[in-house]
Amino acid sequence: MFDVLIIGGGVSGVSCALVLGSAYKKAFAQDKKIGIITHQKTSSLQEALFNNAYGIPAGKLGSELLTESLEQLQDLYPHVTQIEGEKVLKIEGDSPNFNVITNKNSYQTKNVVVGIGSANTFAIEGLMHFVEPHKKTIAEKQRIQLKNDDHKVAGGIYVAGTLAGHRSQLAIAAGSGAAVATDILTLWNDGISSQAHDSIRK
């Protein structure tokens, strides 16, 4: 049983995983089981080139970021389980007992974070009734989002990145994933506002 299972190995999903993973020293997060399904084949980063992203050298390829971000997650926070080569087909159940079914396995989790793209090919059974037209893209693109209130779709279900209704911008997607992570950390901390970041101060 995962405490949180993140769907999507793009910017918002990995950002969420990095923040959650970095909280392992906090008493309320020490024993939490975190997983991420790292499907990246349809990520818009596969064809991206970055010249305007904060902290990223000009000319950086999105495909490189996809690979490097998962390596960073593995190197720094190996306790976060990375699930490769699987695509989510269905989510069953209610909070805090979800069953996430992929093309190869099924996983039990207390919370779900959906951080995949906003293409209208979205087809996760159990979430389709939350689908609505994307509010910040032109209608001709036929993008979709999941209906949410500040990233929360329903009890125990969160959405991040463009699927949460944000524009397609790396910094926005990263911030969206981090926002969801801090909401989950706050939940684990009995509702007391919490976040995780490192400091050079002792």
Side-chain angles (χ1 to χ4, degrees):
M1 168 73 81
F2 287 104
D3 289 282
V4 59
L5 182 59
I6 302 161
I7 301 170
V11 179
S12 63
V14 177
S15 294
C16 184
L18 285 166
V19 174
L20 289 173
S22 70
Y24 68 99
K25 292 182 180 178
K26 295 181 179 291
F28 61 80
Q30 284 180 346
D31 299 322
K32 300 301 184 186
K33 189 172 180 185
I34 305 161
I36 178 170
I37 296 174
T38 59
H39 187 71
Q40 296 180 329
K41 289 183 179 179
T42 58
S43 172
S44 58
L45 261 69
Q46 296 287 4
E47 299 178 349
L49 170 68
F50 292 102
N51 292 315
N52 65 350
Y54 180 81
I56 296 175
K60 189 72 171 179
L61 295 176
S63 56
E64 294 174 333
L65 283 178
L66 286 170
T67 300
E68 293 168 3
S69 65
L70 291 179
E71 290 173 351
Q72 178 185 358
L73 181 63
Q74 177 61 40
D75 290 345
L76 293 176
Y77 312 117
H79 59 284
V80 176
T81 301
Q82 293 191 32
I83 302 167
E84 301 177 358
E86 297 187 31
K87 185 176 181 180
V88 174
L89 304 177
K90 185 176 183 179
I91 297 176
E92 299 176 325
D94 297 294
S95 177
N97 295 297
F98 293 105
N99 188 33
V100 176
I101 301 168
T102 75
N103 57 325
K104 297 180 181 178
N105 294 295
S106 64
Y107 304 93
Q108 285 67 51
T109 183
K110 296 177 182 177
N111 295 283
V112 178
V113 178
V114 187
I116 58 179
S118 57
N120 62 5
T121 53
F122 181 90
I124 297 178
E125 188 178 341
L127 296 181
M128 297 307 295
H129 58 291
F130 295 113
V131 171
E132 62 183 12
H134 200 288
K135 297 176 181 177
K136 292 186 177 179
T137 60
I138 59 175
E140 288 79 4
K141 289 193 173 183
Q142 297 183 327
R143 300 296 186 190
I144 58 98
Q145 66 181 61
L146 296 187
K147 186 176 182 181
N148 69 93
D149 182 8
D150 191 23
H151 295 102
K152 191 167 187 179
V153 176
I157 302 176
Y158 302 84
V159 62
T162 57
L163 195 62
H166 297 298
R167 291 187 175 89
S168 180
Q169 196 81 16
L170 185 141
I172 296 172
S176 175
V180 171
T182 57
D183 285 347
I184 291 171
L185 291 177
T186 298
L187 176 70
W188 290 347
N189 197 26
D190 295 326
I192 301 170
S193 183
S194 183
Q195 58 190 30
H197 54 74
D198 298 314
S199 172
I200 60 173
R201 291 183 295 179
K202 299 294 183 183

